Amino acid sequence: MRFSVHPPITNASGPNSVTYAELERLARSDAGAVVTKSMTHCPRTGNPEPRLRERLHNNIGSLNSMGLPNLGYHEYAQIIPKLKEYKKPVIASIASARCSHNLAPIEQYREIALTMAHAGADLLELNLSCPNLEEVPISMDPQSVRQVLKAVMKEVKIPVGVKLSPYNNTPKLFEEIAQILLDFEIAYVATINSEPLTLDIDVKTKTKVIRPNEGYGGLGGPAVLPIALAEVHRFYKFFQKHNAQISVWGVGGILKAEDAIKHFLAGASVIQIGTLYLWEGPAAFAKLWAGIQEWLHANGYTCVEELVGTVRDL
Ligand code: RRO
């Protein structure tokens, strides 16, 4: 089931998308849709501070181990109808984490998905790839990915996308996961989540730059652009080969129009911005979209669709 977003730019779930005030700012911006922070069954305060270094040295990116701070799905069920008043698609991002209710992850996804569909979310983004929890991300285990999709898609009639970590140099795992996404005819795959298990060090203080998880966290921003492009491209090619109607949404390393154009050429039909939104706030959407349109015009294109997936081999 295809789902269109115009302009084809949204925030990436996570940065400044937790509270109603933050989500309302996104709704008022020029983003094509609003994506919530990944919500869990129970509210979470997240990891101890400092848990986010917004700017790494030389502006190569951002590093976080937020630990899924969010208001809990009951609160988002109240927020979503209010966001819908802004007349743009609302995408509910859903995750699972251990909590006192002891519900299995599959049950958490199922229950939250049902509640979000009922609350009026236009689309669900199943975050299967949080890099900062004790548990191994579901995206690394094909059987669990299949079980979550089965449980959610049996119950929910709205389109469902998934957010995945980079599979890097694990082509067999990549193919297994891509095949499962085909089997369930999901609407889109958003790739990539932040690059997991990365570390930065402040040489002045000789300390790690964030506190949780012994300083390890997820890397986003310019440093991950080539990783994101590779993931976007191989998912795009896989879906083309199998004639699938699954869109690829490109996430990772987009700071300027040229970065977005690279994502479109690689096969993304929608892009999401995380670190750029963190750095520049809601004004980033209009600025980026203007830059993209300028590039399209200067290069003889009338729309983004003409570019999608057209990168050539050398
Ligand atoms: O909250 C986080 O620590 C977090 C999540 Br859920 C995610 O999906 N990606 C990320 O970089 N951080």
Side-chain angles (χ1 to χ4, degrees), residues 37 64-69 127 130-132 193-194:
K37 169 74 183 172
N64 88 84
S65 180
M66 304 298 288
L68 255 173
N127 183 356
C130 176
N132 299 323
N193 205 321
S194 55

Side-chain angles (χ1 to χ4, degrees), residues 91-130:
I91 302 176
S93 172
I94 303 175
S96 73
R98 278 193 202 118
C99 80
S100 55
H101 289 117
N102 266 335
L103 265 188
I106 295 160
E107 279 308 305
Q108 296 182 31
Y109 279 104
R110 199 185 65 84
E111 189 172 326
I112 303 173
L114 267 173
T115 308
M116 289 304 112
H118 191 69
D122 297 281
L123 206 142
L124 304 178
E125 183 171 293
L126 305 180
N127 183 356
L128 305 178
S129 51
C130 176

